[in-house]
Amino acid sequence: KIVLSLFDLSGEWSKPWEEAGYTVFRFDIQDADTYYDSETEEEKVVGDINNFSVQFFNDLFGDFDGNDIYAILAACPCTDFASSGARHFAVKDANGQTVESVELVHQTLRTIEYFKPQVWAIENPVGRIEKLTGLTPWRLSFNPNQFGDPYTKRTLLWGRFNADLPIAPVEPTEGSKMHRLYGGKSQATKNARSVTPEGFAYAFFQANNAVDHPVMAIANKYDRLDRELFQRAVDAGLTFNE
């Protein structure tokens, strides 16, 4: 099964899926890989999701040989959405930076609509992403200390996924460490702030992988049919690949 992980420079969110045997493709504009776009006759960055199109996935990935895209994970850049940077919103709105960030979310949603994965999630800190992009109401709110990482950073998830994650709560002894330790405007500090908490990454995987949740995996693929029918079929021995 295939997982597409967008804006995933560190690889942390998709790491548990890769370790479990999923084929993971990561995309981030900071990656160095390029390709030649014959249509525009330009060199382009593979990880820049603005370049995604039917032709892109056909030419570079053979549309994944017709295999299902099981999950799409997207940690969309939060710089222009997070409430922590609200004092800069007016400038970003005026210079077009906010519009570019909104387009990244819309391109993510187009990719999800094209592949129709069984599981998809968009992650962002508390802010204005939902208001500006038209996302449906968020489905999960968490702090890293709920999953074993001893700090706070309230984060929201939108999408279609099992939100009943296994928790391992610890005291947030490091407080809100992201801006305390990684404040500043450099790309390096922005990257440090955006790394997916390890505990959450594994908890999300445990709640959403196809092997442990066969009814969800099958029902999400055929979502116009009665989920109860799939439960009875799985109880009778049906597997995902059948």
Side-chain angles (χ1 to χ4, degrees), residues 119-162:
V119 171
W120 67 270
I122 291 177
E123 174 264 10
N124 236 240
V126 173
R128 59 178 184 163
I129 186 173
E130 186 175 298
K131 177 182 177 181
L132 294 184
T133 64
L135 285 170
T136 55
W138 56 267
R139 295 200 60 235
L140 176 66
S141 169
F142 75 91
N143 273 294
N145 70 296
Q146 293 174 257
F147 305 106
D149 294 297
Y151 67 96
T152 57
K153 181 188 178 186
R154 187 168 175 242
T155 303
L156 307 177
L157 266 76
W158 293 259
R160 182 170 72 165
F161 54 87
N162 176 17

Side-chain angles (χ1 to χ4, degrees), residues 59-225:
D59 290 352
L60 271 65
F61 300 97
D63 226 0
F64 305 105
D65 298 321
N67 291 314
D68 278 347
I69 305 300
Y70 177 75
I72 294 180
L73 315 175
C76 296
C78 66
T79 305
D80 304 320
F81 298 129
S83 296
S84 57
R87 65 187 181 278
H88 304 298
F89 284 169
V91 172
K92 294 176 178 180
D93 293 352
N95 66 19
Q97 189 171 328
T98 302
V99 172
E100 292 178 0
S101 292
V102 168
E103 176 58 22
L104 291 177
V105 178
H106 288 167
Q107 184 73 328
T108 298
L109 292 171
R110 293 184 197 108
T111 305
I112 291 165
E113 176 61 24
Y114 177 64
F115 286 112
K116 293 180 172 59
Q118 283 93 312
V119 171
W120 67 270
I122 291 177
E123 174 264 10
N124 236 240
V126 173
R128 59 178 184 163
I129 186 173
E130 186 175 298
K131 177 182 177 181
L132 294 184
T133 64
L135 285 170
T136 55
W138 56 267
R139 295 200 60 235
L140 176 66
S141 169
F142 75 91
N143 273 294
N145 70 296
Q146 293 174 257
F147 305 106
D149 294 297
Y151 67 96
T152 57
K153 181 188 178 186
R154 187 168 175 242
T155 303
L156 307 177
L157 266 76
W158 293 259
R160 182 170 72 165
F161 54 87
N162 176 17
D164 186 17
L165 276 57
I167 61 172
V170 297
E171 288 295 319
T173 54
E174 297 180 9
S176 181
K177 74 172 185 177
M178 286 303 172
H179 284 277
R180 177 168 53 84
L181 297 181
Y182 306 115
K185 299 180 180 179
S186 72
Q187 191 60 52
T189 56
K190 289 179 181 178
N191 288 343
R193 289 197 298 267
S194 66
V195 172
T196 302
E198 182 180 35
F200 161 76
Y202 280 93
F204 186 87
F205 167 76
Q206 290 170 19
N208 287 280
N209 77 86
V211 174
D212 293 329
H213 304 278
V215 175
M216 180 193 73
I218 300 170
N220 283 8
K221 181 177 175 63
Y222 305 102
D223 55 8
R224 293 190 178 186
L225 300 178

